[in-house]
Amino acid sequence: MNGKRESVEINIPTSTKHEMPKTSTISCKAWLQIQSVWHFCKEDTAKLIFALKAGLAILLVSLLILFEASYQVFGLNILWAILTAVLVFEYTVGATFNRGFNRALGSLTAGILAIVVAQIAEFSGHVAEPIIIGLSIFLIAAITSCTKTWGSLVQYEYGFRVMLLTYCLIIVSGYRMGNPIRTMIDRLYSIAIGGTISVLVNVSVFPIWAGEQLHQQLVQNFHSMADSLEECVKKYLEDGTEKRSIDAFPDEVTYKRCESILNSGPRLESLANSAKWEPPHGRFMHFLYPWSQYVKVGVVLRHCAYQVMALHSIVHAEIQAPYKLRVAYRSEIQDASNQAAELVRILGTSISNMKLSLKNSHIKRLHSSTERLQRSMHLQYSYLSTPTVESPVPLAKLSSTLYHLPHQKGVVELKYQEKNSNLAESIERPHEIMKKHMRRIYSWPSRKVDAFEEDSETSATELFVRNRLRALESTAALSLVNFTSSFLEFVARVDHLIEAVDKLAKMAKFNDEGGVMQL
């Protein structure tokens, strides 16, 4: 052994599991990506068409370099045409026209300024020439960067950026190569070639019109609004024994619809700005079509969506009116909501078909059903707000403090002819119903139902007064009043929506089917 110890290496084999090879894992991930792309293209074929059109436009411009004959005519300057096709080609026809106009105008303005400044700098001598050119670049950069952030000129931001880029290229190349005019001419005809091919491909091959998309988006918002309103009322009238969590809001269809309507403002404005550049097409054959009025209708519609969101929050509130109390007003609430949803759908259909189909009868039915809802709520309101039995508040006076629809021809008139005993008796009946339901829920602030029970030695008059005070403290009963008032506010905003749609119908010259929208 010679005093040395030999080391023995022992390799213990580890347990091997059946692992999937890396190649198969990569192939599975690739297959999942292909499936996701396929589903994306299947759901929105317009985006696939846009991608294919963009490839076609860039290919046609590139052929001017790939073919020898065209290359001999244009040379390497045609690269500016390819760059123009890449930057100008947009999703809609109107956006492509807008981009092309901004690029052409910016390049032309920059070329003229560059030639003027180059000539002035050349006549100033070799010493002053670079100073004048550098100072001009600084001024043009500062002016264009400031101007493109101006409120009314933000939509031309791309044109100012092109102007700055073109000016710098022409003025610097002219200083080094001594021919700024030739550089400007080459750039202008290259931009003209690339922009023309892009516009022709976008218009002639499955055109995607911004005006048509704006029209469809607004109609979709109307129908989403009607569906959301009906869903909110339906959930409120249900026996909601299960507790709905606030965390579940984003997953609800009603919440998603309202959120989509509220977030559609920037998209509608962008589509309207693009549609202004489009020539008359399809159903929109009028020159100077009122695309801006679509945006205004969308603004009023979003105001209605805010109120539907308020109804949605009341439906999911922690404090709710008893189920049987809500059921007592089911017919009035359901009828009024159905009339309101039907009217909103009729407005959306009128815009979709470009035919005025809303009649005075639809508006009158909505107002009459809402008036019945108001009258049915007067008893509940008087029960919660009347201070004493001996000095009751007349219902006619209460009706004047409640919400009334705008543009109604008459004021709701109620006559109070019962005696004090009859009024106390009529109020006591819903109170007994309320007391029974208070046994199932707690009042707010937290106070057990036993506190509503009175001592047997208490007189009948004192019992009535004390129970009425307990009802005033309970916000659970006020939940129904809150829901109703929010719905009435929605109806008031629908009246403004009718006016906006009526104005759009007149400006866009919709066909009249005998409907006259008068409020």
Side-chain angles (χ1 to χ4, degrees), residues 225-447:
M225 175 75 67
D227 295 338
S228 300
L229 177 64
E230 288 182 340
E231 187 67 22
C232 283
V233 174
K234 179 182 177 182
K235 286 186 177 181
Y236 188 74
L237 296 178
E238 289 177 352
D239 188 5
T241 55
E242 73 283 357
K243 188 175 181 180
R244 303 182 180 94
S245 175
I246 297 179
D247 298 334
F249 275 21
D251 299 329
E252 292 189 359
V253 178
T254 304
Y255 184 86
K256 288 182 179 179
R257 287 171 180 165
C258 292
E259 187 180 29
S260 176
I261 296 173
L262 296 177
N263 295 334
S264 64
R267 174 170 171 78
L268 293 180
E269 292 181 2
S270 177
L271 290 174
N273 292 331
S274 299
K276 294 176 182 178
W277 293 91
E278 294 177 347
H281 60 278
R283 298 184 296 171
F284 315 103
M285 296 303 296
H286 304 301
F287 287 96
L288 301 177
Y289 196 82
W291 298 115
S292 59
Q293 185 61 27
Y294 277 81
V295 179
K296 295 179 181 178
V297 173
V299 171
V300 181
L301 189 64
R302 287 197 298 275
H303 280 283
C304 297
Y306 286 125
Q307 207 59 36
V308 176
M309 289 290 278
L311 294 174
H312 184 265
S313 65
I314 296 174
V315 171
H316 294 81
E318 292 289 337
I319 306 169
Q320 294 289 343
Y323 171 64
K324 289 189 178 180
L325 182 61
R326 284 176 279 160
V327 170
Y329 301 95
R330 177 195 293 272
S331 60
E332 291 84 357
I333 296 176
Q334 192 72 55
D335 181 55
S337 64
N338 291 339
Q339 295 297 333
E342 180 186 2
L343 192 145
V344 172
R345 286 197 181 93
I346 291 175
L347 291 177
T349 305
S350 299
I351 297 177
S352 177
N353 300 331
M354 302 183 72
K355 294 181 179 179
L356 197 61
S357 56
L358 184 63
K359 300 180 180 179
N360 278 337
S361 58
H362 298 124
I363 304 175
K364 290 179 179 179
R365 284 200 298 268
L366 174 60
H367 285 180
S368 61
S369 62
T370 310
E371 183 178 340
R372 286 195 299 271
L373 176 60
Q374 285 179 279
R375 290 185 178 183
S376 64
M377 292 300 297
H378 283 172
L379 181 60
Q380 176 69 15
Y381 185 85
S382 62
Y383 163 68
L384 293 173
S385 60
T386 305
T388 58
V389 180
E390 289 76 17
S391 58
V393 180
L395 295 183
K397 185 176 180 180
L398 287 174
S399 64
S400 63
T401 62
L402 291 180
Y403 181 85
H404 290 282
L405 293 175
H407 313 293
Q408 286 184 351
K409 296 181 178 179
V411 180
V412 180
E413 296 181 356
L414 296 176
K415 296 182 179 179
Y416 178 75
Q417 296 178 349
E418 290 90 352
K419 297 180 181 179
N420 292 344
S421 59
N422 294 336
L423 177 61
E425 187 177 334
S426 64
I427 294 178
E428 190 172 2
R429 283 195 297 268
H431 169 71
E432 292 297 330
I433 298 175
M434 279 290 300
K435 191 172 67 174
K436 291 179 182 179
H437 291 291
M438 285 299 176
R439 297 180 182 277
R440 292 196 307 167
I441 64 173
Y442 294 105
S443 64
W444 190 267
S446 298
R447 184 156 49 85

Side-chain angles (χ1 to χ4, degrees), residues 40-75:
F40 173 77
C41 297
K42 189 177 180 180
E43 290 177 358
D44 195 350
T45 56
K47 294 181 179 178
L48 178 61
I49 293 174
F50 162 70
L52 297 177
K53 290 196 305 180
L56 177 61
I58 297 173
L59 173 62
L60 293 177
V61 178
S62 302
L63 292 178
L64 298 177
I65 293 180
L66 297 177
F67 289 134
E68 186 66 26
S70 58
Y71 178 76
Q72 293 297 330
V73 175
F74 298 106

Side-chain angles (χ1 to χ4, degrees), residues 23-34:
T23 55
S24 61
T25 304
I26 296 174
S27 61
C28 290
K29 291 182 178 180
W31 176 248
L32 292 176
Q33 291 294 332
I34 293 173

